[in-house]
Amino acid sequence: INRVHDVNRVHDVNRVHDVNAVESVSLVCHPGVFLIEQDYEIILLCDKPAMASVVVDGRTFTDNVNGVMRSDTDVHKIKIPVALLDKAKAYRVHITPLADHCNYYPKPDPTEAYEYPFTPVPAEGDVKAYVLADTHGNTVTPAETALAQEPMDLLILLGDIGDSAATREQVTTLHYLTAAVTGGCFPAVYIRGNHDTRGYMAEHLMDYIPTRNGATYYTFRAGPVWGVVLDCGEDKPDSSIEYGGVADYVGFRHAQTAYLRTLVANAPSTYAAE
């Protein structure tokens, strides 16, 4: 490990975070810690292909496919149990570039390590959540506005964070905005908006956003707050000429209806839980 990053040098709630303040060779902005069901999904954005892992209270969680560490990607999604991270109140990110994932004796670069303190949503009492919606590719003004408020417990990103999903730059607005507001130090919830379904990257969006096994609808629990995220897709009929035949949301909504019925059927362990 060639360096350990002290996030307290850059985490200042009174200003917009410099997304490059992580002083990293590979990590381009602070992580996003997103609530999904009973997990946090920590999303890491890199400027080059690399392997990634997160260490919490001595336990290591990796981004792998059936046991093979993912190295041919610049974005990583790693799930951590909510109860574990809430108790530990800190995590360490490891980024290890690997130029050549060869058959034998691959030679990864030195691992970069970044320490982050973490503040979970309080288990009791009031919860202060701040909502940003329809930021449409902007980061500075929304972040400055959020950081001008009283310290928050939870950031909610209510869709159309990018102006579209036409480019990687628009899609990764989510990461830069989340990094600027949270500094990787408290949780966020993301809901897909209809503009997030438009463009070339829309079919690849699941690689960049938090999901429940690929689904963009799910529940979450943040301290005493229970919530359900829904995603109705586009705002016009699928047959609208505006979509050119690429929209198919009727079945998608039916699947969410079925999902909601399972939540009702299992109310004691979902919204009616203690």
Side-chain angles (χ1 to χ4, degrees):
I1 297 174
N2 61 352
R3 73 172 66 136
V4 175
H5 166 70
D6 179 3
V7 72
N8 293 311
R9 291 193 314 227
V10 300
H11 183 60
D12 180 355
V13 296
N14 296 315
R15 64 177 174 84
V16 176
H17 299 288
D18 178 356
V19 294
N20 295 313
V22 289
E23 300 172 0
S24 167
V25 176
S26 302
L27 196 64
V28 299
C29 63
H30 297 301
V33 184
F34 295 94
L35 282 159
I36 299 281
E37 304 274 320
Q38 301 299 314
D39 294 317
Y40 291 115
E41 189 159 70
I42 297 181
I43 302 184
L44 309 169
L45 189 64
C46 303
D47 70 352
K48 66 179 71 173
M51 299 182 291
S53 61
V54 174
V55 180
V56 179
D57 194 25
R59 293 178 58 183
T60 299
F61 301 83
T62 66
D63 182 10
N64 73 82
V65 178
N66 297 317
V68 178
M69 292 284 287
R70 298 178 71 224
S71 62
D72 189 27
T73 181
D74 57 5
V75 61
H76 297 275
K77 298 164 59 177
I78 300 174
K79 279 188 166 61
I80 310 291
V82 164
L84 179 66
L85 184 52
D86 283 1
K87 182 179 179 181
K89 294 183 172 59
Y91 64 97
R92 174 184 286 193
V93 172
H94 287 180
I95 302 293
T96 308
L98 177 62
D100 182 13
H101 195 157
C102 54
N103 293 355
Y104 297 99
Y105 309 109
K107 297 178 177 61
D109 292 343
T111 295
E112 304 166 26
Y114 306 94
E115 299 275 2
Y116 284 89
F118 184 76
T119 303
V121 172
E124 298 177 345
D126 293 340
V127 173
K128 295 179 181 178
Y130 194 79
V131 177
L132 287 169
D134 296 280
T135 53
H136 287 279
N138 297 299
T139 55
V140 174
T141 298
E144 286 178 339
T145 304
L147 292 172
Q149 315 306 311
E150 294 182 7
M152 67 193 78
D153 302 309
L154 178 67
L155 173 66
I156 299 178
L157 298 162
L158 202 58
D160 292 358
I161 301 306
D163 194 46
S164 70
T167 65
R168 185 178 184 277
E169 288 70 28
Q170 285 294 337
V171 168
T172 55
T173 301
L174 166 67
H175 306 86
Y176 287 108
L177 182 55
T178 304
V181 176
T182 72
C185 297
F186 64 90
V189 172
Y190 169 77
I191 298 93
R192 187 177 69 162
N194 67 307
H195 280 252
D196 303 323
T197 70
R198 300 178 180 179
Y200 167 76
M201 290 292 291
E203 62 190 88
H204 304 287
L205 193 66
M206 304 309 99
D207 294 335
Y208 290 84
I209 65 172
T211 66
R212 177 182 58 86
N213 299 321
T216 53
Y217 51 93
Y218 47 85
T219 66
F220 67 90
R221 181 70 178 264
V225 176
W226 184 92
V228 57
V229 168
L230 298 177
D231 180 353
C232 61
E234 269 292 3
D235 61 355
K236 303 176 188 65
D238 291 352
S239 58
S240 172
I241 191 173
E242 186 172 322
Y243 307 144
V246 303
D248 182 19
Y249 292 108
V250 174
F252 178 66
R253 295 186 191 108
H254 285 322
Q256 287 178 83
T257 301
Y259 178 67
L260 288 172
R261 287 177 175 146
T262 66
L263 298 181
V264 173
N266 295 284
S269 61
T270 57
Y271 59 86
E274 183 179 354

